[in-house]
């Protein structure tokens, strides 16, 4: 590779942003947005311009996105989330939703803040597996399914459905050119319990059986792993950082 769109990985190369291939069926929400702006941003990607002031539209968004959008926003208490990628509602015929949150994790610089040692600690304490993400050391591990975290201030209980995690996979990686931060990518696959429908009937018709649900969860995890293989760093000028020599 050569040309103005690429830069070689050298001692002075510093990552300023990233690129990742996102498959169809996911929408992107940049970090730092509040709930109304995030909803509008998602609507543009879906080719819709909903009037979020109407009760009918709020109900529609509640059913289509469950609590995934609100949970992703509420989790960013310190404004560190770079992007969230959310499935555009439950997968057809199921109650399963998926989110991928990309965030920066600052590390206090000191003589004891060895980032490689921090990654190795995850191998020892979380059973993480070492991997390489865009040419930099990283680790990945799965957390056992647990109770969904409490809703934050952006997700009042009467505004979002419950989300029960089925699998959570976390990647923790070094950032090219930085020794004061790590990057996290967190995949959460969950069951959106929409509760009652507008007619008062229980919304359980679309729940898949246990085997089918397990296959769907495995497939979404494979999609996440495939996305990781497309992850690339970009420098401050937007050029892709590559390890291969530039021609």
């Amino acid at each position: 590779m050569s040309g103005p769109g690429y830069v070689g990985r050298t001692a002075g190369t510093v990552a300023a942003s990233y690129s990742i291939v996102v498959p169809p069926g996911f929408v992107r929400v940049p970090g730092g947005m509040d709930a109304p702006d995030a909803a509008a941003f998602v609507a543009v990607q879906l080719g819709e311009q909903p009037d979020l002031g109407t009760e009918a539209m709020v109900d529609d968004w509640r059913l289509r996105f469950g609590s995934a959008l609100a949970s992703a926003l509420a989790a960013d208490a310190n404004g560190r989330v770079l992007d969230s990628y959310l499935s555009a509602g439950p997968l057809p015929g199921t109650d399963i939703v998926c989110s991928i949150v990309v965030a920066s994790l600052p590390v206090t610089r000191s003589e004891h803040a060895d980032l490689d040692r921090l990654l190795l600690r995850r191998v020892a304490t979380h059973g993480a597996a070492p991997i390489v993400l865009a040419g930099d050391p990283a680790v990945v591990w799965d957390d056992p399914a647990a109770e969904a975290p409490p809703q934050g201030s952006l997700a009042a209980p009467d505004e979002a459905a419950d989300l029960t995690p089925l699998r959570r996979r976390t990647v923790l990686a070094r950032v090219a050119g930085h020794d004061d931060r790590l990057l996290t990518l967190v995949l959460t696959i969950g069951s959106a319990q929409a509760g009652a429908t507008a007619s008062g009937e229980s919304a359980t018709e679309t729940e898949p059986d246990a085997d089918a649900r397990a296959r769907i969860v495995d497939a979404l995890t494979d999609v996440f792993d495939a996305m990781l293989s497309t992850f690339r760093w970009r420098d401050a000028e937007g050029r892709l950082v590559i390890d291969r020599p530039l021609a």
Side-chain angles (χ1 to χ4, degrees):
M1 293 183 180
S2 62
Y6 302 93
V7 61
R9 183 187 292 267
T10 65
T13 303
V14 176
S17 61
Y18 72 93
S19 295
I20 192 169
V21 175
V22 181
F26 282 81
V27 292
R28 170 178 169 261
V29 181
M33 283 189 168
D34 58 19
D37 288 343
F41 190 89
V42 170
V44 171
Q45 296 177 73
L46 296 175
E48 303 173 359
Q49 291 291 341
D51 179 2
L52 295 178
T54 66
E55 183 176 353
M57 185 53 67
V58 171
D59 287 341
D60 180 59
W61 277 70
R62 181 185 308 151
L63 292 174
R64 294 183 62 182
F65 292 96
S67 62
L69 177 59
S71 295
L73 294 171
D76 190 21
N78 298 310
R80 296 170 181 170
V81 170
L82 304 178
D83 294 289
S84 297
Y85 302 94
L86 311 174
S87 58
L91 299 184
T94 78
D95 62 354
I96 296 176
V97 296
C98 177
S99 70
I100 299 168
V101 178
V102 183
S104 175
L105 179 63
V107 177
T108 302
R109 298 184 64 177
S110 73
E111 58 181 335
H112 304 294
D114 185 300
L115 299 187
D116 290 331
R117 187 172 299 174
L118 290 175
L119 295 180
L120 289 174
R121 180 182 297 178
R122 293 290 173 170
V123 174
T125 61
H126 287 64
I131 61 171
V132 176
L133 185 71
D136 288 283
V139 293
V140 58
W141 71 91
D142 288 341
D143 290 323
E147 292 293 330
Q151 299 293 343
S153 58
L154 293 177
D158 61 340
E159 291 181 354
D162 293 330
L163 181 67
T164 302
L166 301 173
R167 181 174 298 173
R168 183 175 288 111
R169 175 164 292 186
T170 300
V171 173
L172 187 64
R174 294 201 60 165
V175 182
H178 293 274
D179 61 1
D180 61 349
R181 73 193 64 181
L182 295 168
L183 189 84
T184 64
L185 298 96
V186 181
L187 165 74
T188 302
I189 304 170
S191 171
Q193 302 297 333
T197 63
S199 63
E201 298 176 354
S202 176
T204 59
E205 298 178 358
T206 61
E207 293 183 4
D209 60 42
D211 289 341
R213 186 190 296 274
R215 289 194 296 270
I216 293 171
V217 170
D218 288 342
L220 288 172
T221 305
D222 289 342
V223 169
F224 176 65
D225 291 343
M227 291 175 63
L228 293 178
S229 71
T230 71
F231 190 98
R232 298 291 184 272
W233 296 115
R234 290 185 179 271
D235 70 358
E237 299 179 26
R239 298 174 297 183
L240 283 173
V241 178
I242 61 173
D243 292 311
R244 284 172 286 180
L246 294 172

